[in-house]
Amino acid sequence: MRRTVLALSVVLGASAIATAVFAQQPQLPPPDDWHATGRYLPEYTKDGDLILPKNFHEWVYVGSPTTPNFLNPPQANFPEFHNVYIEPGSYEIYKKTGVFPEGTIFVKELQLLQPATNPDGSRTEPSGKGFFPGAFNGADVTVKDTERYKESHGWGYYNFNHHEPKAASAKVRPVEECGYCHIANAKRDDVWTQFYALLDQVPMPPGQDSSRKMPPSENPSIKK
């Protein structure tokens, strides 16, 4: 009998301690708070440079457009696969609201093509002729912060080298270097959702326009 009472006292005591510890834990903020616990948010150096996001290969993968050199002679701006990832917490909020929340991070990792084995720039592998990914080749990062990046419609654009190794940190690029093309052509909130079905299939909030902002004939970024 004494053993039973003692065991019960131990269990009740442990339960009380656990309850007290839980009560002291900070309450999670609402999911639309961009400082919500569980999100990986942009990190900056003391000089304001963006730090290369950590563990982005574990983020949500959204797609890989490719623009090889032989289709864009004499040299493509990005002659690689563009492997794009979005920070998971931001993606969860986007799925629920249809809006990319403040603090959203996209990483576009560049990946070279395997050397061509055919005159048209393609390569023949057991699966057939095509384009096959090779070595990594640097990365670009985009961050949403409507206060920090007012000049570029609320998004900041960073280049972490177009070669390996990637830079540990990077300075924001001028709007005319990256931002203007997104502003003029990207389908939704300056994001190229038209190329990423995972993002494009999320319903648009009422009242928002999903049309492109500039016809291709007027787009200065498209080579004539």
Side-chain angles (χ1 to χ4, degrees), residues 108-200:
K108 177 177 71 177
E109 184 173 41
L110 307 178
Q111 190 169 13
L112 294 170
L113 277 65
Q114 292 278 359
T117 59
N118 302 304
D120 64 359
S122 66
R123 180 180 179 87
T124 301
E125 292 290 348
S127 58
K129 289 179 61 176
F131 305 104
F132 299 87
F136 292 127
N137 199 46
D140 295 314
V141 176
T142 307
V143 175
K144 185 173 183 178
D145 187 326
T146 52
E147 288 298 316
R148 183 183 286 264
Y149 309 116
K150 288 182 179 179
E151 293 185 0
S152 50
H153 274 208
W155 291 88
Y157 301 89
Y158 294 84
N159 174 357
F160 286 83
N161 293 339
H162 288 174
H163 57 78
E164 292 293 314
K166 299 173 182 66
S169 63
K171 297 184 180 299
V172 67
R173 310 306 300 176
V175 62
E176 60 270 15
E177 183 175 316
C178 300
Y180 82 94
C181 193
H182 285 252
I183 294 168
N185 303 286
K187 181 177 179 180
R188 187 167 176 175
D189 193 11
D190 298 346
V191 176
W192 304 91
T193 58
Q194 63 263 44
F195 303 140
Y196 309 115
L198 192 68
L199 303 178
D200 210 38

Side-chain angles (χ1 to χ4, degrees), residues 2-221:
R2 289 184 62 186
R3 290 183 178 180
T4 301
V5 172
L6 179 61
L8 183 59
S9 298
V10 171
V11 171
L12 292 175
S15 177
I17 293 173
T19 301
V21 170
F22 179 79
Q24 295 174 11
Q25 297 298 314
Q27 296 299 305
L28 293 179
D32 59 346
D33 182 346
W34 75 291
H35 290 95
T37 301
R39 292 180 65 196
Y40 178 92
L41 297 173
E43 297 180 288
Y44 298 92
T45 68
K46 63 180 181 179
D47 296 322
D49 296 348
L50 182 69
I51 296 172
L52 182 68
K54 299 177 178 64
N55 304 319
F56 66 84
H57 286 134
E58 301 173 12
W59 292 6
V60 178
Y61 167 75
V62 298
S64 293
T66 181
T67 52
N69 282 327
F70 82 95
L71 291 178
N72 301 274
Q75 174 72 38
N77 290 330
F78 302 98
E80 310 102 336
F81 286 93
H82 311 169
N83 303 327
V84 178
Y85 302 84
I86 183 174
E87 189 274 322
S90 301
Y91 176 62
E92 287 300 316
I93 295 173
Y94 173 72
K95 285 194 301 181
K96 295 174 182 176
T97 66
V99 176
F100 295 109
E102 296 288 313
T104 295
I105 307 174
F106 283 100
V107 175
K108 177 177 71 177
E109 184 173 41
L110 307 178
Q111 190 169 13
L112 294 170
L113 277 65
Q114 292 278 359
T117 59
N118 302 304
D120 64 359
S122 66
R123 180 180 179 87
T124 301
E125 292 290 348
S127 58
K129 289 179 61 176
F131 305 104
F132 299 87
F136 292 127
N137 199 46
D140 295 314
V141 176
T142 307
V143 175
K144 185 173 183 178
D145 187 326
T146 52
E147 288 298 316
R148 183 183 286 264
Y149 309 116
K150 288 182 179 179
E151 293 185 0
S152 50
H153 274 208
W155 291 88
Y157 301 89
Y158 294 84
N159 174 357
F160 286 83
N161 293 339
H162 288 174
H163 57 78
E164 292 293 314
K166 299 173 182 66
S169 63
K171 297 184 180 299
V172 67
R173 310 306 300 176
V175 62
E176 60 270 15
E177 183 175 316
C178 300
Y180 82 94
C181 193
H182 285 252
I183 294 168
N185 303 286
K187 181 177 179 180
R188 187 167 176 175
D189 193 11
D190 298 346
V191 176
W192 304 91
T193 58
Q194 63 263 44
F195 303 140
Y196 309 115
L198 192 68
L199 303 178
D200 210 38
Q201 67 188 2
V202 175
M204 178 86 58
Q208 287 198 13
D209 182 11
S210 64
S211 62
R212 296 186 183 185
K213 303 178 180 67
M214 180 182 294
S217 61
E218 299 176 14
N219 179 5
S221 68

